[in-house]
Amino acid sequence: MSKIVVFGGAGFLGTHVCEKLVERHRGDACNILVPTRRLGHARHLQPLPGLDTAQADVFDPARLDRLLYDAEVVINLVGILHGHPADFERVHATLPQRLAAASVKAGVRRFIHVSALGASADAPSHYLRSKAAGEAALASQPGLATTVLRPSVMFGDGDRFLNLFASLQRLFPVMPLASAGARFQPVWVEDVARGVVACLDRHDSAGQVYEAVGPRVYTLAELVRCAGVWSGHARPVWRLPEALGRLQAAAMRVLPGDPLISADNLDSMKVDSVASGRLPDLQALGVSPAALEAIAPLYLGGTAPTRLDLFRASARRS
């Protein structure tokens, strides 16, 4: 029985990856294990056949060794968008380093890691620099067959991107927007999940870095307008100058919970989240990315897409 351990499996992307893994192994002997800080976070995964959850501190070396015992594949999807520099370093750099070392020790044969477009040691944000440090940590383990995917912003039912801007436009008569000209190449979360799972069936994906993007580039202002139109609450977009945008981010930082946007987010958006054209993309993994316009109106319009809706949308991909 093959064992696949999915770190971050209870999250937005992770849920879709786990569903795809179950579909891939339907009828085969397979054990999919999802470690999580709190079992309640993974409750929605428990009905999936062949999948188990385990409450665990993945920074505990002994616990990590037990989780990876007899594993053949490790998939790391853990990531955060907000935090202090030490938080980014711990989650995006230290954790991949520990996972990679423990995987080599356990004899894991494949390691799939999701990073981010724009990851670079000299990037302007802690988020992007820490993502680059995580990739470097994996590269320092030459005995591990690793594949890295770098997605742009991901959209899909339940996302915290388009849904957030749609919700804000229901509440406010105007949308003040910092970094309105930042460019993204949004990709459907289902397509990224397909790409992750496709790596397991392609031996030539080991050692490769793939850019996971959709078919079209948008500015942030265009995406916000689309979210308003498709949700039925279009509002004028007021472009904030950088100084006001940073003032807004500073004010949000003192509010309880995760901020809507932080200064580090603004720094990340100085780098376009679009394909470089120098690396293979999802199509190299046999995935033809769906257009944003074919998917987002289905869930922003107030009615969650059915499986048939998503099948029809996938069939109309451009």
Side-chain angles (χ1 to χ4, degrees):
M1 178 178 290
S2 61
K3 178 180 175 181
I4 301 173
V5 185
V6 185
F7 294 91
F12 178 52
L13 172 60
T15 297
H16 292 268
V17 169
C18 288
E19 290 174 350
K20 297 291 176 293
L21 287 171
V22 169
E23 291 173 6
R24 175 182 184 264
H25 291 280
R26 186 164 293 159
D28 298 332
C30 181
N31 174 25
I32 301 165
L33 178 63
V34 177
T36 178
R37 285 180 301 163
R38 296 182 180 87
L39 288 176
H41 292 170
R43 188 180 296 113
H44 61 289
L45 297 176
Q46 291 172 355
L48 293 175
L51 185 145
D52 294 314
T53 59
Q55 185 165 320
D57 175 6
V58 297
F59 287 92
D60 177 353
R63 186 71 171 113
L64 193 54
D65 288 343
R66 290 195 294 273
L67 290 171
L68 296 185
Y69 176 76
D70 213 24
E72 291 191 10
V73 177
V74 168
I75 299 175
N76 180 36
L77 312 173
V78 180
I80 58 174
L81 288 175
H82 305 288
H84 296 287
D87 299 323
F88 288 121
E89 183 70 18
R90 183 172 186 263
V91 173
H92 295 158
T94 302
L95 180 58
Q97 188 277 327
R98 292 189 179 184
L99 292 180
S103 294
V104 170
K105 179 181 176 182
V108 170
R109 109 188 131 72
R110 287 290 275 117
F111 194 105
I112 314 298
H113 176 73
V114 172
S115 182
L117 275 182
S120 170
D122 59 356
S125 70
H126 296 294
Y127 172 81
L128 292 174
R129 290 196 297 273
S130 65
K131 285 288 191 178
E135 291 188 26
L138 297 177
S140 69
Q141 296 285 351
L144 190 61
T146 302
T147 304
V148 174
L149 286 87
R150 295 176 180 168
S152 184
V153 64
M154 289 180 280
F155 65 88
D157 188 24
D159 68 47
R160 295 182 181 178
F161 184 66
L162 293 180
N163 274 297
L164 170 62
F165 288 118
S167 298
L168 290 174
Q169 289 176 85
R170 292 187 186 99
L171 296 174
F172 301 109
V174 66
M175 269 299 300
L177 189 65
S179 299
R183 297 167 72 236
F184 298 88
Q185 201 164 347
V187 60
W188 191 19
V189 64
E190 283 268 323
D191 289 331
V192 180
R194 289 189 181 100
V196 168
V197 175
C199 291
L200 302 181
D201 296 317
R202 299 183 65 107
H203 298 297
D204 60 348
S205 69
Q208 295 288 336
V209 177
Y210 295 90
E211 295 180 326
V213 296
R216 182 179 162 191
V217 175
Y218 303 79
T219 66
L220 180 59
E222 288 171 336
L223 290 171
V224 171
R225 290 190 186 101
C226 285
V229 169
W230 293 334
S231 64
H233 300 87
R235 301 289 188 253
V237 173
W238 178 29
R239 293 171 177 254
L240 293 178
E242 183 174 356
L244 274 181
R246 291 193 172 275
L247 187 62
Q248 181 188 55
M252 288 180 177
R253 189 172 181 179
V254 301
L255 298 176
D258 287 338
L260 298 179
I261 194 165
S262 67
D264 197 72
N265 296 150
L266 297 178
D267 289 335
S268 289
M269 286 190 284
K270 292 177 181 178
V271 178
D272 288 339
S273 185
V274 302
S276 68
R278 298 188 297 272
L279 294 170
D281 58 17
L282 289 175
Q283 297 203 47
L285 293 170
V287 178
S288 180
L292 177 71
E293 295 86 351
I295 305 296
L298 296 175
Y299 64 88
L300 291 178
T303 303
T306 66
R307 290 280 181 182
L308 183 57
D309 289 330
L310 297 179
F311 175 78
R312 287 169 174 162
S314 298
R316 294 194 298 269
R317 293 178 187 182
S318 60

